[in-house]
Amino acid sequence: MAPDRTAAYGEHPDQVADFYLPSRPRRAARPAPLVLLFHGGAWRAPYDRRHVSPFAAFLAGRGLAVASVEYRRGGAEPARAGRWPETFDDIAAAVDTVPGLARELGLPGVDPDRVVLTGHSAGGHAVLWAAARHRLPSGTPWHLPSPSPLRGVVALAPIADLATARALDVCSGAVGELLGEVRGEVRGDGDELTARFALADPAALLPTAIPTTIVQGGTDIDVPPAVADAFTAAATRVGQDVRLVRTEGGHFPPIDPTTPVAHTVADEIAHVAGAGPAR
């Protein structure tokens, strides 16, 4: 599905976003909220934003504006998961920059002041982490002094709790690779790996005070429900309400426009954005 516009949010070739404009006016008079969409694929290079292009176009067809974000993943040979710290640099930069790009481009029918983050699988991790950056230590490069001005987060089958995902070997060691465990970058007694976990795990950065919804398939074997359950349990312990929407099926129905689950996702995004259900 071809986007309406593509724009760079940084200098690296992967620092780009595809914009999909609402294909028809919403019933409300105001412009459509902007959905920043982060794709999954275990942070590995072969999987890019193209595999969520049909879903991005679907959301636009439901009256939402979408920016489908690319970001740096692991190297192609061997196919490793993520880059430390570049993957996190890009997630933070995209959230900070893309709404302003939408404003600068003068995209019609888009309200860049009403932003919802949504992402699938590894992209679900990205959006949960991005919403928690004000919880990072003040000396870290991604820290924000206050929460991002987001309407909320809708995470789809997210790798939401890194400790649980690592224990379950989600995506064949992807969590360890994301943090540099396999590349030999983490040495010595493991203190560096522990420090990276503390900075990268959304479940360790709660509460965020940002409305958060998780859509999780009950028979997902790629990112099992136990990962979402661990995140919601962690949120409960610190007093944050997280809406957990359990759906039928496995890992991919939330981003498959032909499924009822994708319609549920669109309605959840529209609700979080304050736009009412997408119809």
Side-chain angles (χ1 to χ4, degrees):
M1 303 289 180
D4 295 289
R5 292 286 298 271
T6 298
Y9 65 86
E11 296 182 356
H12 191 276
D14 284 335
Q15 293 175 321
V16 296
D18 291 336
F19 289 95
Y20 295 80
L21 302 182
S23 60
R24 54 182 173 77
R26 299 186 59 86
R27 284 180 286 185
R30 58 182 173 170
L34 178 62
V35 180
L36 267 60
L37 171 62
F38 287 78
H39 69 82
W43 304 286
R44 293 189 169 112
Y47 309 102
D48 61 20
R49 69 192 187 282
R50 287 175 294 181
H51 83 265
V52 293
S53 294
F55 180 62
F58 164 75
L59 293 178
R62 301 265 291 187
L64 299 164
V66 181
S68 182
V69 176
E70 194 56 89
Y71 53 92
R72 282 174 281 185
R73 288 93 63 218
E77 294 294 339
R80 295 181 299 217
R83 303 185 198 182
W84 182 276
E86 291 88 351
T87 298
F88 294 87
D89 291 341
D90 290 357
I91 296 165
V95 173
D96 291 346
T97 305
V98 170
L101 278 177
R103 184 179 291 106
E104 292 173 11
L105 292 170
L107 299 178
V110 180
D111 183 355
D113 294 320
R114 286 195 298 150
V115 176
V116 176
L117 303 183
T118 193
H120 177 247
S121 195
H125 165 271
V127 298
L128 292 170
W129 178 82
R133 287 167 54 206
H134 59 290
R135 299 282 298 164
L136 291 168
S138 59
T140 55
W142 312 299
H143 169 77
L144 293 176
S146 59
S148 294
L150 304 171
R151 288 301 178 102
V153 175
V154 181
L156 315 175
I159 305 177
D161 183 299
L162 293 190
T164 301
R166 184 172 180 239
L168 294 174
D169 196 31
V170 165
C171 299
S172 303
V175 170
E177 292 177 18
L178 172 70
L179 302 179
E181 187 176 26
V182 175
R183 288 180 250 175
E185 296 173 5
V186 178
R187 305 178 186 277
D189 58 8
D191 287 348
E192 178 63 19
L193 181 63
T194 299
R196 290 183 182 185
F197 258 99
L199 297 178
D201 188 355
L205 298 172
L206 294 162
T208 66
I210 292 176
T212 300
T213 296
I214 291 178
V215 179
Q216 177 66 51
T219 58
D220 191 337
I221 60 174
D222 295 283
V223 182
V227 178
D229 291 343
F231 179 86
T232 55
T236 299
R237 287 194 296 270
V238 295
Q240 176 163 343
D241 290 330
V242 171
R243 175 170 162 77
L244 178 57
V245 179
R246 298 188 185 276
T247 61
E248 295 182 356
H251 193 57
F252 294 100
I255 58 168
D256 181 350
T258 67
T259 66
V261 178
H263 290 260
T264 298
V265 169
D267 284 343
E268 291 293 333
I269 293 170
H271 176 73
V272 168
R279 298 297 183 209

